[in-house]
C-alpha cells in the first residue's frame, strides 16, 4: 500500500533533483518496519521502551503541580510514525551540527541522536524552556553521548547557541506553536544555516497562525524547496 502522505512529497523531491532532495526522497522510500536494519531496529526499540516507561510514570514533572510525566509524554512527544519520519530525515541529511527547539521528554531528541550515532558523527543541541521536562529528557538522551540539553526560554538560549555553533546543518523547530515566534526562529536559524541545509517545522497546521507561518516560510525565495508532511514541514536551504 502506498503511503499517500509520503508518496507525493517523495515524488516532488525526486523532481527537484538536487543531491540533498534525492537523498531525502530515497530515505522516504524506506519508512516501513521491514526497511530497518538490525542496529536501527534495536535503537528504536530502546527509545520506545523508554517511552513506555515514561507513560507508566504518574509522578509530577518537577516544578509543576498539574503536569505528570505520563501526560507530558502522551500529549507532547512525537508519535512513533512521526518520530520515525524524523529519524529517516536526519539519517538522510547527515548533519554535523543539529539543533532542536522543544525537548519535552526527549523522545524526538533520542530519535535524532540515534540517527546521528548510527551515521558515526554529529552533535545535537536541544533547547527546552521547562527545567522539569529537561530533567526527565536528560535520562532519555543520555545514552547517546552526542546530545546536550540547554534550559531556558528560546529568546534567551537560541541566539547564544547559534553564535557558539557558528553554523548548523539541520534544525527541528517544535516548541512555540504561534505565527510570529515561528517566523522569528526561521529568520534567526536561516542566517546561520550551512548550505545545503534543512529546516524542519513541526505542527505546521496546529492552528491558523501556524498555517500562515508555514505559507510564508514555504514561499520564501530563500527556501529552494518545501514539502508538507501534514504535521512536519521540510524546507531545503540550498543557496
Amino acid at each position: 500500500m502506498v503511503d499517500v502522505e509520503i508518496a507525493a512529497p517523495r515524488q516532488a523531491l525526486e523532481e527537484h533533483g538536487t543531491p540533498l532532495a534525492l537523498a531525502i526522497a530515497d530515505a522516504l522510500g524506506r519508512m516501513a518496519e521491514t526497511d530497518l536494519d538490525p542496529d536501527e531496529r534495536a535503537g528504536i526499540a530502546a527509545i520506545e521502551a523508554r517511552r513506555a516507561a515514561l507513560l507508566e510514570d504518574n509522578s509530577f514533572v518537577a516544578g509543576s503541580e498539574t503536569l505528570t510525566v505520563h501526560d507530558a509524554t502522551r500529549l507532547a512527544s512525537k508519535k512513533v510514525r512521526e518520530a520515525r519520519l524524523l529519524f529517516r530525515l536526519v539519517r538522510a541529511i547527515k548533519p554535523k551540527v543539529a539543533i532542536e527547539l522543544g525537548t519535552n521528554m526527549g523522545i524526538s531528541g533520542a530519535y535524532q541522536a540515534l540517527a546521528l550515532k548510527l551515521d558515526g558523527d554529529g552533535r545535537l543541541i536541544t533547547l527546552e524552556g521547562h527545567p522539569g521536562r529537561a530533567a526527565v529528557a536528560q535520562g532519555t538522551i543520555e545514552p547517546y553521548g552526542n546530545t546536550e540539553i540547554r534550559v531556558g526560554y528560546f529568546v534567551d538560549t537560541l541566539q547564544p547557541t547559534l553564535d557558539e555553533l557558528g553554523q548548523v546543518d539541520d534544525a527541528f523547530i517544535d516548541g512555540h506553536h504561534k505565527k510570529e515566534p515561528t517566523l522569528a526562529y526561521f529568520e534567526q536559524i536561516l542566517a546561520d544555516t550551512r548550505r545545503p541545509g534543512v529546516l524542519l517545522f513541526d505542527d505546521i497546521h496546529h492552528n491558523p497562525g501556524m498555517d500562515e507561518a508555514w505559507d510564508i516560510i514555504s514561499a520564501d525565495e530563500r527556501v529552494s524547496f518545501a514539502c508538507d508532511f501534514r504535521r512536519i514541514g521540510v524546507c531545503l536551504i540550498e543557496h
Side-chain angles (χ1 to χ4, degrees):
M1 179 181 294
V2 175
D3 187 333
V4 294
E5 293 184 22
I6 297 295
R10 184 185 180 197
Q11 181 178 350
L13 283 158
E14 290 173 343
E15 291 172 357
H16 184 60
T18 63
L20 179 58
L22 292 174
I24 294 174
D26 178 69
L28 294 177
R30 292 181 285 112
M31 283 289 292
E33 176 76 23
T34 53
D35 293 317
L36 296 172
D37 67 32
D39 290 336
E40 291 174 334
R41 186 173 289 108
I44 289 174
I47 297 171
E48 290 307 317
R50 171 65 172 173
R51 186 201 299 269
L54 295 175
L55 287 170
E56 292 293 320
D57 187 344
N58 289 306
S59 65
F60 290 116
V61 173
S64 174
E65 296 181 354
T66 58
L67 181 68
T68 65
V69 172
H70 166 88
D71 287 342
T73 305
R74 180 177 64 85
L75 296 172
S77 292
K78 290 281 128 285
K79 301 298 187 287
V80 175
R81 183 181 182 282
E82 296 159 357
R84 189 176 294 178
L85 171 60
L86 182 61
F87 170 78
R88 279 291 177 218
L89 290 170
V90 174
R91 289 224 71 181
I93 298 162
K94 301 186 185 304
K96 299 297 184 184
V97 181
I99 62 171
E100 175 185 55
L101 275 63
T103 314
N104 192 43
M105 301 288 100
I107 297 297
S108 61
Y111 269 90
Q112 293 171 84
L114 174 63
L116 295 173
K117 183 177 181 180
L118 292 175
D119 284 331
D121 200 2
R123 174 190 183 195
L124 173 66
I125 305 295
T126 178
L127 309 182
E128 174 54 50
H130 192 289
R133 293 179 191 249
V136 177
Q138 185 62 42
T140 305
I141 59 91
E142 201 163 37
Y144 304 98
N146 57 10
T147 301
E148 176 187 349
I149 302 173
R150 297 186 179 180
V151 181
Y153 294 121
F154 298 156
V155 69
D156 297 321
T157 58
L158 177 55
Q159 195 56 55
T161 297
L162 291 171
D163 291 342
E164 174 192 328
L165 295 175
Q167 287 187 311
V168 300
D169 304 294
D170 162 54
F172 181 49
I173 299 147
D174 177 28
H176 198 169
H177 300 129
K178 295 182 179 180
K179 176 182 176 181
E180 295 305 329
T182 298
L183 293 175
Y185 303 144
F186 168 66
E187 292 292 344
Q188 277 183 279
I189 298 170
L190 181 65
D192 289 309
T193 299
R194 195 189 328 270
R195 273 58 168 176
V198 180
L199 304 184
L200 310 171
F201 295 86
D202 195 36
D203 293 321
I204 56 175
H205 302 301
H206 182 72
N207 54 46
M210 287 300 291
D211 279 327
E212 292 175 12
W214 174 246
D215 287 344
I216 292 169
I217 290 167
S218 61
D220 193 292
E221 63 182 7
R222 296 166 295 178
V223 174
S224 58
F225 179 85
C227 54
D228 180 343
F229 290 92
R230 295 200 180 179
R231 287 290 297 273
I232 296 176
V234 178
C235 295
L236 306 191
I237 312 299
E238 298 175 296
H239 52 258

